[in-house]
Amino acid sequence: MAAAGAAGHGPLAGVRVVELAGIGPGPFAAMLLADLGADVVRVDRPNGGGLAIKPAYDITNRNKRSVVVDLKAPDGADRVLDLADRADILIEGYRPGVAERLGVGPEACHARNPKLVYGRMTGWGQEGPLAPRAGHDIAYIAVTGALGMIGAPGEPPAVPANLVGDYAGGSLYLVVGVLAALHHARATGAGQVVDAAIVDGTAHLASMIHGMMAAGGWQDRRGANLLDGGCPYYGTYETADGQYMAVGALEGQFYEEFVRLLGLGEYASARKDVSRWGDLREAVAARFKTRTRDEWTAVFEGSDACVAPVLSLREAPHHPHLAARGTFTDHSGITQPVPAPRFSTTPTAVRSGPAMPGTDTADVARDWDVPDLLKGSAGPEGSAELDGSGEPVGSGELVGDSEPKSNREPKSNREPKGSTQ
């Protein structure tokens, strides 16, 4: 594995980012910026938690520093505005209107720092009929059509964890957006608001598919297309030991090598003959069931057949290619992916483990020249305590319902019911 803490601070060294604590795509986006070298200060809540695990294991908070600010305290908003005044980027993931009510919305921040890039991470976006409603990754990708594309025909759509919506359609688009806005701010002196909605990003991810569908090259149903498992040489197959192999032999030369190594040379001419795809799929499935995953991995080793073993999360770090590249590292006792992508001149690294709430308040107050940050500081909080439900006490929820619970009004005072909190 790669050595953790290697020299190098990344291409964003010198960029200052304020992250208003939440969970989900916002913290992951902030981690990406931190991995690239930005000085990310996470503003945690008193007694607040993130995921329902101890903070020491939440690697989305690696390479960051943490301060604790109570935004409901009389001077809480001022402490955040002091940080925003010295920051290049601010990221928040509250429902629309919440940051404004807390006194740290775009208008208040830009009054202090006109160059600030204000990144807003939500599921539904800042506008639209669903903007004030709660939601999670699965709902966001459902309405965009992305979820409906994944899975076998005749079966429920397969849930791709929260990778497609939260992280691909959310975090990555927020990072692209705030960095583009930062480039503009440095050129013009004008900051702006970046509205990163998971529904927008996820829909955008399917741009190529929409083009193929318009051209008649994609059927609007699962398991009927070249890239969704409908093609017998682009999918997964079970092996003799109950494991799986992934096949992606799309191009002619790769397909020829695939059927040759599989021992199905008689199907060399079946690649473009859709009428034979049913027989081809059955033959491929039967062949893969004759050997174990490791045995088939050895068969395809060193070939261009585009076949790979399907590994678990625990197995992945030990794959020879990933091990050779140092794709994973061990830091603070946790095996984790190294920062990506890689830079030839400004290398990145896992410089520090997950930021523990409040442990960096004094250092940030000094480094960012915000001495008032120390006033009424809650100090370090070793780990979030769990209540009887197993949820961190005082924790927020994922995008779509991410105002700190301690900041929510009683339900009777919410207008409309269930919205904007």
Side-chain angles (χ1 to χ4, degrees), residues 130-150:
L130 291 177
R133 301 304 175 195
H136 282 298
D137 171 283
I138 193 169
Y140 309 139
I141 67 174
V143 301
T144 65
L147 181 60
M149 292 194 300
I150 306 171

Side-chain angles (χ1 to χ4, degrees), residues 55 61 87 124 142 155 162 178 201 371:
N61 287 326
W124 302 118
E155 297 182 7
N162 68 327
V178 297

Side-chain angles (χ1 to χ4, degrees), residues 74-113:
D75 62 348
D78 287 337
R79 300 293 78 77
V80 171
L81 292 175
D82 286 344
L83 291 169
D85 189 25
R86 291 156 176 78
D88 300 291
I89 298 168
L90 182 145
I91 291 174
E92 58 94 354
Y94 301 145
R95 290 202 209 182
V98 171
E100 284 83 349
R101 290 202 302 277
L102 293 172
V104 293
E107 185 175 350
C109 288
H110 283 144
R112 296 282 297 269
N113 180 1

Side-chain angles (χ1 to χ4, degrees), residues 113-184:
N113 180 1
K115 295 182 179 180
L116 181 71
V117 173
Y118 195 103
R120 315 198 81 163
M121 182 76 261
T122 61
W124 302 118
Q126 298 298 310
E127 299 175 344
L130 291 177
R133 301 304 175 195
H136 282 298
D137 171 283
I138 193 169
Y140 309 139
I141 67 174
V143 301
T144 65
L147 181 60
M149 292 194 300
I150 306 171
E155 297 182 7
V159 180
N162 68 327
L163 302 179
V164 174
D166 277 353
Y167 296 147
S171 303
L172 296 182
Y173 279 84
L174 176 62
V175 169
V176 170
V178 297
L179 292 181
L182 178 61
H183 176 74
H184 176 267

Side-chain angles (χ1 to χ4, degrees), residues 6-393:
H9 299 290
L12 293 185
V15 173
R16 288 178 170 178
V17 179
V18 174
E19 174 200 353
L20 301 186
I23 59 176
F28 187 80
M31 182 199 74
L32 290 175
L33 296 172
D35 282 353
L36 294 177
D39 182 6
V40 177
V41 172
R42 177 179 169 93
V43 180
D44 283 297
R45 305 185 291 279
N47 302 313
L51 300 173
I53 58 175
K54 292 182 178 180
Y57 290 92
D58 186 358
I59 64 172
T60 62
N61 287 326
R62 72 185 185 189
N63 287 340
K64 302 177 183 178
R65 299 194 284 181
S66 170
V67 302
V68 170
V69 174
D70 183 359
L71 278 168
K72 295 298 286 185
D75 62 348
D78 287 337
R79 300 293 78 77
V80 171
L81 292 175
D82 286 344
L83 291 169
D85 189 25
R86 291 156 176 78
D88 300 291
I89 298 168
L90 182 145
I91 291 174
E92 58 94 354
Y94 301 145
R95 290 202 209 182
V98 171
E100 284 83 349
R101 290 202 302 277
L102 293 172
V104 293
E107 185 175 350
C109 288
H110 283 144
R112 296 282 297 269
N113 180 1
K115 295 182 179 180
L116 181 71
V117 173
Y118 195 103
R120 315 198 81 163
M121 182 76 261
T122 61
W124 302 118
Q126 298 298 310
E127 299 175 344
L130 291 177
R133 301 304 175 195
H136 282 298
D137 171 283
I138 193 169
Y140 309 139
I141 67 174
V143 301
T144 65
L147 181 60
M149 292 194 300
I150 306 171
E155 297 182 7
V159 180
N162 68 327
L163 302 179
V164 174
D166 277 353
Y167 296 147
S171 303
L172 296 182
Y173 279 84
L174 176 62
V175 169
V176 170
V178 297
L179 292 181
L182 178 61
H183 176 74
H184 176 267
R186 289 184 167 178
T188 66
Q192 59 184 302
V193 176
V194 178
D195 174 7
I198 294 174
V199 290
D200 295 346
T202 304
H204 191 261
L205 287 171
S207 295
M208 182 191 76
I209 305 299
H210 281 282
M212 293 176 69
M213 189 165 60
W218 189 276
Q219 299 182 57
D220 195 14
R221 56 191 178 92
R222 286 191 298 284
N225 301 285
L226 188 66
L227 302 175
D228 66 354
C231 172
Y233 42 90
Y234 196 89
T236 57
Y237 291 91
E238 187 176 3
T239 56
D241 55 346
Q243 300 297 316
Y244 292 87
M245 297 294 289
V247 177
L250 291 176
E251 291 79 7
Q253 68 273 29
F254 305 146
Y255 175 81
E256 290 177 6
E257 190 160 1
F258 166 63
V259 293
R260 178 181 64 82
L261 291 172
L262 200 61
L264 295 175
E266 66 271 27
Y267 287 95
S269 61
R271 174 172 165 266
K272 292 187 176 182
D273 187 351
V274 179
S275 67
R276 298 180 64 190
W277 277 12
D279 291 340
L280 174 60
R281 187 186 303 278
E282 291 181 3
V284 171
R287 283 293 290 161
F288 271 118
K289 287 296 289 286
T290 64
R291 300 185 185 183
T292 67
R293 185 188 67 181
D294 289 348
E295 289 172 336
W296 281 119
T297 299
V299 168
F300 290 103
E301 180 73 24
S303 76
D304 279 340
C306 301
V307 178
V310 178
L311 303 182
S312 70
L313 291 174
R314 292 189 185 279
E315 292 175 314
H318 305 290
H319 186 274
H321 181 76
L322 302 186
R325 284 185 58 81
T327 301
F328 291 85
T329 189
D330 284 326
H331 191 281
S332 301
I334 304 172
T335 299
Q336 57 194 281
V338 299
R342 305 183 183 198
F343 298 85
S344 61
T345 302
T346 54
T348 58
V350 179
R351 305 182 304 277
S352 61
M356 303 299 287
T359 55
D360 305 295
T361 302
D363 289 342
V364 172
R366 180 194 66 237
D367 297 344
W368 285 39
D369 191 22
V370 283
D372 286 351
L373 195 61
L374 297 173
K375 293 181 179 179
S377 171
E381 303 177 30
S383 63
E385 297 295 332
L386 298 180
D387 63 15
S389 66
E391 177 177 316
V393 175

